[in-house]
């Protein structure tokens, strides 16, 4: 079926962006005004932060400017993500790109000058304006690593150059790589990133799946040296900045940004590599048996356990499932969900040029927006529950904090979203007696939620840590190093239970995450908190729900350890993680039992 153009889709299933900006013209006019206001801000405050009172006035001004920037930037970026090929949306996005650059160059002096002040000055600001405690505390946390303002300015001016490796990575990936096609039973099947990750790698037809794997990885192989060279520049940059700022290790430098200790980071990787592996190997065996495979290969790990048991669902039907599953979170939460459907916060349609995947954007000062492409498969209720989890998080956090205090550490970001996936699964399991449907629910929790967060991204994290160890020794990283490290991690996790096909080691080439700091390990961190929280809700009901809503309202006012503590979960010990891994093990047990029951 050919994709519709954006102008031909049913407008009732698109998002309504008018509360961000009434139209493109409005956004452009406001962007021009914002640039003028940023210049005025610069004139008023640069070199003039002599008293705490003036500094507070400055923070007030900065708050207003950044709130406006968020609204119009979000408008432009959502316009573009609904149709990347639309010339008006591209133009708008370019205009906002310039606005942001102008804004940064007019406003960046402010933090630099505050960081030059004595601690006593900053503490006085905090005492006189307690609402800015979070903002000032964050400055104080960064102060020891701050460089001379002139050096900071030079670094800021190089920011476009410093982001070049990521741009080059995307150019190779999205423009240069041509995967061609494969032929199965006389039929030609085109291979691309989108086609491979969006279906070929999990295709139940073994010949299609394995041929696609060969074609995909043989093509990647041709670009391994360019991709490794690009990545090596990124690593050298990070190491140089880490040295300049006085960190002993690039890992510590990257963790500082998340306000997370080395212990928490290492534990996540070490414990999952060791304790989760046996459960996932059992799951692989089950996949092998259910699909009648002689050997279980690396390229078979993403196949569904039972593709025939997934029901279909419409957008209208999804509302009832979502409301029922999440109603435990209270009337306000349900009210938000109903508003999301009624007031068109969600873009459901499928059209040419629309961004793939799903995301939630929660601009401060407005309600959240969700992008999803509705496939009409039951799986979408999990995707939507996940995105509504981000929405519910920032709907609460934005309403209860100023713009500086809303975002928690990356360590915590995926907790509210995956929590909703768990609530959805628990709801579906509770309300069905059909073993095939139950097996489908549990297997989707394993193959989507846990596989994605605890296996795919965790293996990335384990590999990434080895790479940074080389970087800390000032070694140059080549394609053969990266292949060796990635292969070692895959071998260690799957052991002899999965045959690791040549090419699997190139999996490091697939992820953009490596250009975003220590991102990969945070997926499992968030889901650990979510699993424990969902189990608390199952066992304790209302008191656990109250704690969780309190955490959502807290925004970014505490670090990940503090937020988890509010949720009754102590992540300074390994108990939450160990309990989560045992829980995954119990889900695999359930799958084994249900499979026996179904097969008779
Ligand atoms: Zn998410």
């Amino acid at each position: 079926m050919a994709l519709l153009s954006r102008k031909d889709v049913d407008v009732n299933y698109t998002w309504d962006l008018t509360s961000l900006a009434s139209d493109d013209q409005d956004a452009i006019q406001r962007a021009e005004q914002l640039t003028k206001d940023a210049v005025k801000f610069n004139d008023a405050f640069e070199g003039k932060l002599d008293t705490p009172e003036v500094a507070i006035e400055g923070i007030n001004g900065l708050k207003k400017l950044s709130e406006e920037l968020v609204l119009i930037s979000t408008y432009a970026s959502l316009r573009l993500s609904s149709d990347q090929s639309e010339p008006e949306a591209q133009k708008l996005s370019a205009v906002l790109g310039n606005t942001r650059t102008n804004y940064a160059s007019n406003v960046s002096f402010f933090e630099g000058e505050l960081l030059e002040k004595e601690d006593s000055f900053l503490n006085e600001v905090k005492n006189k304006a307690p609402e800015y405690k979070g903002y000032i505390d964050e400055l104080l946390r960064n102060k020891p690593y701050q460089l001379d303002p002139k050096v900071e300015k030079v670094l800021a001016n190089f920011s476009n150059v410093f982001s070049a490796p990521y741009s080059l990575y995307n150019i190779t990936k999205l423009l240069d790589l041509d995967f061609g096609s494969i032929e199965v039973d006389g039929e030609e099947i085109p291979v691309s990133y989108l086609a491979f990750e969006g279906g070929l790698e999990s295709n139940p037809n073994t010949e299609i799946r394995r041929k696609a794997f060969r074609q995909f990885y043989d093509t990647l192989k041709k670009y391994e040296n360019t991709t490794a060279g690009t990545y090596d520049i990124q690593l050298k940059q990070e190491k140089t900045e880490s040295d300049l700022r006085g960190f002993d290790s690039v890992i510590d430098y990257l963790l500082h940004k998340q306000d997370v200790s080395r212990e928490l980071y290492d534990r996540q990787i070490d414990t999952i590599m060791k304790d989760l592996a046996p459960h996932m190997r059992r799951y692989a065996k089950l996949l092998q048996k259910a699909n009648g495979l002689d050997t279980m290969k690396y390229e078979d790990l993403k196949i569904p356990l039972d593709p025939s048991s997934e029901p279909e669902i419409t957008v209208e039907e999804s509302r009832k499932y979502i409301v029922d599953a999440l109603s435990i979170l209270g009337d306000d939460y349900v009210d938000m969900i109903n508003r999301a459907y009624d007031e068109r916060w969600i873009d459901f349609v499928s059209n040419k040029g629309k961004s793939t995947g799903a995301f939630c954007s929660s601009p401060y000062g407005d309600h959240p927006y969700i992008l999803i492409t509705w496939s009409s498969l039951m799986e979408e209720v999990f995707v939507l529950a996940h995105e509504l989890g981000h929405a519910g998080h920032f709907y609460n956090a934005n309403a209860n904090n100023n713009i500086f205090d809303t975002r928690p550490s990356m360590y915590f970001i995926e907790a509210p979203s995956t929590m909703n996936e768990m609530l959805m699964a628990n709801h579906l399991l509770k309300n069905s007696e059909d073993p095939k449907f139950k097996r489908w629910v549990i297997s989707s929790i394993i193959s989507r939620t846990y596989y994605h967060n605890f296996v795919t991204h965790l293996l990335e994290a384990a590999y990434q840590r080895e790479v940074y160890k080389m970087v800390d020794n000032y070694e140059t990283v080549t394609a053969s190093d990266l292949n060796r490290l990635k292969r070692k991690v895959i071998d260690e996790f799957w052991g002899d239970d999965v045959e690791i096909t040549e090419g699997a080691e190139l999996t490091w080439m697939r992820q953009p995450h490596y250009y975003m700091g220590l991102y990969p390990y945070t997926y499992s961190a968030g889901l650990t908190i979510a699993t424990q929280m969902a189990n608390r809700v199952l066992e304790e009901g209302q008191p656990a729900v109250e704690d969780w809503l309190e955490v959502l309202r807290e925004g970014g006012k505490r670090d990940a350890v503090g937020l988890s503590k509010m949720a009754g979960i102590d992540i300074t010990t390994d108990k939450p993680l160990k309990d989560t891994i045992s829980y995954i093990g119990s889900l695999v047990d359930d799958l084994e039992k249900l499979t026996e029951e179904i097969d008779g």
Side-chain angles (χ1 to χ4, degrees), residues 349-558:
V349 294
S350 174
N351 60 260
K352 277 185 210 144
K354 180 167 166 172
S355 291
T356 56
F359 66 77
C360 175
S361 172
S362 305
Y364 190 86
D366 197 3
H367 58 72
Y369 294 84
I370 290 171
L371 179 141
I372 184 172
T373 300
W374 199 257
S375 68
S376 298
L377 289 173
M378 190 72 185
E379 180 186 70
E380 301 292 0
V381 299
F382 285 104
V383 180
L384 194 50
H386 177 108
E387 299 308 335
L388 282 164
H390 289 304
H393 185 189
F394 289 105
Y395 182 76
N396 281 286
N398 289 353
N400 289 284
N401 296 284
N402 69 45
I403 192 168
F404 305 120
D405 284 346
T406 54
R407 286 195 80 79
S409 164
M410 206 185 252
Y411 190 99
F412 191 82
I413 286 290
E414 292 300 332
S417 51
T418 48
M419 161 80 172
N420 281 6
E421 291 186 50
M422 303 310 296
L423 293 178
M424 176 56 71
N426 290 341
H427 169 74
L428 293 177
L429 288 173
K430 206 175 84 188
N431 291 292
S432 171
E433 289 306 323
D434 174 8
K436 284 199 118 180
F437 181 70
K438 282 183 163 219
R439 185 171 72 164
W440 175 80
V441 173
I442 297 173
S443 69
S444 32
I445 278 289
I446 294 200
S447 67
R448 292 186 59 253
T449 311
Y450 285 109
Y451 198 97
H452 183 71
N453 296 290
F454 265 70
V455 181
T456 306
H457 292 319
L458 198 280
L459 294 186
E460 287 167 32
Y463 147 88
Q464 187 186 37
R465 187 174 60 175
E466 297 309 306
V467 173
Y468 279 124
K469 283 181 188 162
M470 287 184 71
V471 174
D472 270 338
N473 288 327
Y474 299 97
E475 292 174 59
T476 290
V477 170
T478 65
S480 75
D481 295 320
L482 299 175
N483 289 342
R484 176 174 47 81
L485 294 177
K486 185 70 196 181
R487 176 64 195 245
K488 193 167 157 267
V489 166
I490 297 173
D491 282 344
E492 195 184 322
F493 191 80
W494 293 110
D496 296 331
D497 293 304
V498 175
E499 190 183 308
I500 310 301
T501 312
E502 201 190 317
E505 69 280 1
L506 293 162
T507 301
W508 63 267
M509 291 177 67
R510 292 173 55 180
Q511 282 301 336
H513 287 146
Y514 306 124
Y515 296 89
M516 303 165 192
L518 296 177
Y519 194 171
Y521 91 97
T522 63
Y523 284 88
S524 67
L527 182 53
T528 301
I529 297 165
T531 306
Q532 294 313 305
M533 198 60 220
N535 285 340
R536 264 198 73 197
V537 169
L538 266 187
E539 284 158 20
E540 299 169 36
Q542 207 49 38
V545 169
E546 291 305 322
D547 284 351
W548 187 239
L549 293 173
E550 212 31 63
V551 172
L552 300 184
R553 288 192 281 264
E554 186 72 0
K557 286 206 292 278
R558 291 171 204 238

Side-chain angles (χ1 to χ4, degrees), residues 46-232:
E46 188 168 25
K48 294 172 188 152
L49 302 179
D50 300 327
T51 64
E53 285 76 12
V54 179
I56 292 167
E57 235 182 89
I59 306 175
N60 286 331
L62 184 70
K63 193 174 81 168
K64 271 209 192 104
L65 292 175
S66 52
E67 284 176 6
E68 176 70 349
L69 181 65
V70 163
L71 293 175
I72 50 180
S73 291
T74 305
Y75 177 80
S77 93
L78 296 185
R79 282 272 287 109
L80 191 65
S81 57
S82 58
D83 184 359
Q84 311 262 3
S85 66
E86 195 204 313
E88 289 302 311
Q90 291 170 347
K91 207 176 96 191
L92 186 66
S93 162
V95 169
L96 262 295
N98 287 333
T99 307
R100 271 193 299 275
T101 307
N102 285 329
Y103 175 87
S105 74
N106 278 302
V107 163
S108 63
F109 77 91
F110 191 73
E111 261 186 37
E113 287 193 22
L114 282 182
L115 283 162
E116 289 244 281
K117 303 285 180 198
E118 298 291 327
D119 285 10
S120 57
F121 181 98
L122 295 175
N123 283 323
E124 223 181 305
V125 171
K126 210 162 63 171
N127 290 336
K128 292 204 154 91
E131 69 271 29
Y132 295 139
K133 181 181 178 301
Y135 178 77
I136 297 294
D137 283 345
E138 187 60 14
L139 287 181
L140 287 166
R141 204 174 72 79
N142 290 322
K143 208 170 166 223
Y145 308 103
Q146 202 64 17
L147 304 170
D148 183 274
K150 282 188 189 132
V151 180
E152 290 289 352
K153 192 160 189 180
V154 172
L155 289 181
N157 287 339
F158 270 111
S159 61
N160 270 334
V161 181
F162 291 156
S163 63
Y166 183 36
S167 308
L168 282 175
Y169 169 79
N170 275 324
I171 289 172
T172 307
K173 177 172 175 174
L174 303 173
L175 300 178
D176 284 350
L177 276 165
D178 178 356
F179 294 95
S181 58
I182 53 171
E183 205 187 295
V184 178
D185 295 334
E187 197 197 332
E188 194 175 314
I189 304 171
V191 181
S192 64
Y193 249 101
L194 207 62
F196 186 71
E197 295 186 341
L200 290 174
E201 68 170 339
S202 57
N203 197 303
N205 180 318
T206 300
E207 194 185 349
I208 293 178
R209 188 176 64 250
R210 290 185 180 176
K211 268 196 175 167
F213 176 90
R214 199 64 279 144
Q215 183 84 2
F216 183 82
Y217 277 91
D218 284 351
T219 311
L220 281 186
K221 180 88 186 155
K222 295 179 194 158
Y223 292 83
E224 61 173 350
N225 295 310
T226 311
T227 311
T230 306
Y231 182 39
D232 187 52

Side-chain angles (χ1 to χ4, degrees), residues 29 36 74 244 260 301-302 403 411 442 444 479 563 599:
Q29 271 166 12
K36 287 183 200 151
T74 305
L244 281 173
V260 165
L301 286 165
K302 295 249 169 100
I403 192 168
Y411 190 99
I442 297 173
S444 32
L563 289 172
D599 295 346

